[in-house]
Amino acid sequence: MTDHLVDAHAPRDLRAFIAALPKAELHVHHVGSASPRIVSELAARHPDSRVPADPEALSDYFTFTDFAHFVEVYLSVVDLIRTPEDVRLLTYEVGRELARQQVRYAELTVTPYSSTRRGIDERAFMDAIEDARKAAEAEFGTVLRWCFDIPGEAGLTAAEETTRLATDDRLRPEGLVSFGLGGPEIGVPRPQFKPYFDRALAAGLHSVPHAGETTGPETVWDALTHLRAERIGHGTSSARDPKLLAHLAEHRIPLEVCPTSNIATRAVRTLDEHPLKEFVRAGVPVTVNSDDPPMFGTDLNNEYAVAARLLDLDERGLAELAKNAVEASFLDEAGKARIKAEIDAYTSSWLAA
Ligand SMILES: O=C(O)c1cccc(C(=O)CC[C@H]2O[C@@H](n3cnc4c(=O)[nH]cnc43)[C@H](O)[C@@H]2O)c1
Ligand SMILES: [Zn+2]
């Protein structure tokens, strides 16, 4: 992890508590989770890319001037993933990294369109992620599930292709649980994606679009109204609309908050100005997530440390935050109960020690 965004304020023992706390991660992108080691390995394999092969140079490369710059850099990393074996390696390594952080369950946002349009065979792509998912669960004990997202800026062709890949019974992977919408929001109105979300929801998927990350609360309303969002990716600007906060609280719509991401893409100026506390005060269910961890110089443990500082949480508060994510997940009830019991047992034994 690069140092510039690490929250160094959390006391050392709280960091130790977080490090071993069983957790769920609900908002983390597949390509955005490529570690510096994997990025440099892929960059060395594909020297025609402008992504630096030297891991030391990646910290500068991953410093963003704004959201548009972030997407440009993100797509240069997407360009490094050229074969089903690249896809499998990346997915398996993401599983390993999540397990290292004691993540028991993760919903990983995958953008299949970005890979299939670059020539990766769709069947081979699905087999690669599924093979890595099963290996990660067997070898590391971390359960992975997929959210397939439409890269919004790529338009309705991308929406059609993503919906087809998510709903065709011959292709749709076993681990797929939800349907999302990512990329820039400015100039990409949410309502145009309604027919695609309708088809995905009819096929049994959950709706989890990004909204209110780089635009105002009206985008969150659109995601709720037109895309029938069950959780909101980011939802940062919801804080500017008290009626929206009340709606999210009343209907128990969780926000997938990613504090360091919002600083790195300059959606929020400083962590101290982040609206996380306002969400909690308004009674909105919040989960804390890492988004694109190596690109933002963070990881899930660091996001919990950031949340502990912003919300003034002790061990019990952090355990509740971890249980929020389990509760907001698309795991079955037995799976949720198992992880929540593990969080409680861990917290009790930590506090008794
Ligand atoms: O793949 C393409 O060819 C392509 C063409 C045009 C536009 C796009 C995109 O919009 C890709 C955006 C990409 O960004 C991912 N992502 C990662 N983190 C975030 C985030 O915090 N907020 C929004 N999007 C994010 C997203 O999953 C898309 O894959 C692609
Ligand atoms: Zn995201």
Side-chain angles (χ1 to χ4, degrees), residues 27-32 67 70-72 74-75 78-79 109-115 117-118 149-155 158 181-185 210 213-214 233-234 258 261-262 265 291-292 295-296:
H27 189 125
V28 60
H29 294 258
H30 183 223
V31 173
F67 191 83
F70 160 70
V71 170
E72 187 191 319
Y74 189 91
L75 290 177
V78 170
D79 275 331
T109 297
V110 176
T111 315
Y113 172 78
S114 290
S115 290
R117 80 163 276 249
R118 284 170 175 76
D149 80 330
I150 301 169
E153 208 190 28
L181 172 58
E185 292 173 39
H210 286 64
E213 178 185 18
T214 49
H234 295 277
C258 311
S261 158
N262 298 147
T265 62
D291 210 5
D292 302 288
M295 293 188 179
F296 298 149

Side-chain angles (χ1 to χ4, degrees), residues 146-218:
W146 316 125
C147 169
F148 277 6
D149 80 330
I150 301 169
E153 208 190 28
L156 299 187
T157 307
E160 177 56 41
E161 180 71 349
T162 308
T163 311
R164 184 181 67 79
L165 295 169
T167 59
D168 181 335
D169 288 338
R170 289 159 304 178
L171 282 172
R172 171 190 173 144
E174 212 184 303
L176 184 67
V177 293
S178 61
F179 197 70
L181 172 58
E185 292 173 39
I186 297 168
V188 187
R190 311 283 100 172
Q192 65 183 313
F193 299 105
K194 175 176 166 34
Y196 306 97
F197 274 74
D198 283 346
R199 279 163 58 197
L201 269 61
L205 298 175
H206 296 280
S207 169
V208 286
H210 286 64
E213 178 185 18
T214 49
T215 58
E218 64 285 351

Side-chain angles (χ1 to χ4, degrees), residues 30-275:
H30 183 223
V31 173
S33 297
S35 67
R37 183 174 63 78
I38 297 297
V39 172
S40 48
E41 199 176 311
L42 292 170
R45 255 189 231 177
H46 307 302
D48 57 313
S49 160
R50 64 192 169 88
V51 179
D54 171 10
E56 296 292 308
L58 279 174
S59 166
D60 279 348
Y61 189 67
F62 289 158
T63 300
F64 310 111
T65 51
D66 56 17
F67 191 83
H69 179 219
F70 160 70
V71 170
E72 187 191 319
V73 171
Y74 189 91
L75 290 177
S76 71
V77 180
V78 170
D79 275 331
L80 290 175
I81 297 152
R82 300 188 184 173
T83 68
E85 185 40 46
D86 292 342
V87 174
R88 192 200 177 277
L89 172 75
L90 167 65
T91 316
Y92 179 79
E93 292 299 327
V94 173
R96 186 203 300 277
E97 170 57 18
L98 289 166
R100 182 191 68 78
Q101 295 186 72
Q102 306 305 320
V103 173
R104 300 289 188 264
Y105 172 84
E107 290 170 16
L108 196 58
T109 297
V110 176
T111 315
Y113 172 78
S114 290
S115 290
T116 58
R117 80 163 276 249
R118 284 170 175 76
I120 298 185
D121 174 74
E122 57 196 36
R123 173 79 273 149
F125 180 87
M126 302 301 174
D127 289 347
I129 59 172
E130 281 292 289
D131 187 53
R133 175 179 74 79
K134 289 175 189 161
E137 185 168 340
E139 291 171 38
F140 312 131
T142 296
V143 173
L144 297 180
R145 292 290 179 264
W146 316 125
C147 169
F148 277 6
D149 80 330
I150 301 169
E153 208 190 28
L156 299 187
T157 307
E160 177 56 41
E161 180 71 349
T162 308
T163 311
R164 184 181 67 79
L165 295 169
T167 59
D168 181 335
D169 288 338
R170 289 159 304 178
L171 282 172
R172 171 190 173 144
E174 212 184 303
L176 184 67
V177 293
S178 61
F179 197 70
L181 172 58
E185 292 173 39
I186 297 168
V188 187
R190 311 283 100 172
Q192 65 183 313
F193 299 105
K194 175 176 166 34
Y196 306 97
F197 274 74
D198 283 346
R199 279 163 58 197
L201 269 61
L205 298 175
H206 296 280
S207 169
V208 286
H210 286 64
E213 178 185 18
T214 49
T215 58
E218 64 285 351
T219 310
V220 180
W221 282 117
D222 281 346
L224 294 168
T225 309
H226 299 282
L227 310 183
R228 291 184 276 159
E230 294 162 71
R231 292 195 315 247
I232 299 284
H234 295 277
T236 319
S237 64
S238 308
R240 307 202 312 243
D241 181 343
K243 279 207 181 96
L244 176 56
L245 290 178
H247 181 92
L248 296 169
E250 183 189 344
H251 296 275
R252 312 305 300 153
I253 311 273
L255 297 183
E256 301 161 356
V257 179
C258 311
T260 300
S261 158
N262 298 147
I263 307 307
T265 62
R266 305 186 191 240
V268 175
R269 228 165 48 86
T270 65
L271 278 177
D272 290 323
E273 291 168 73
H274 197 283

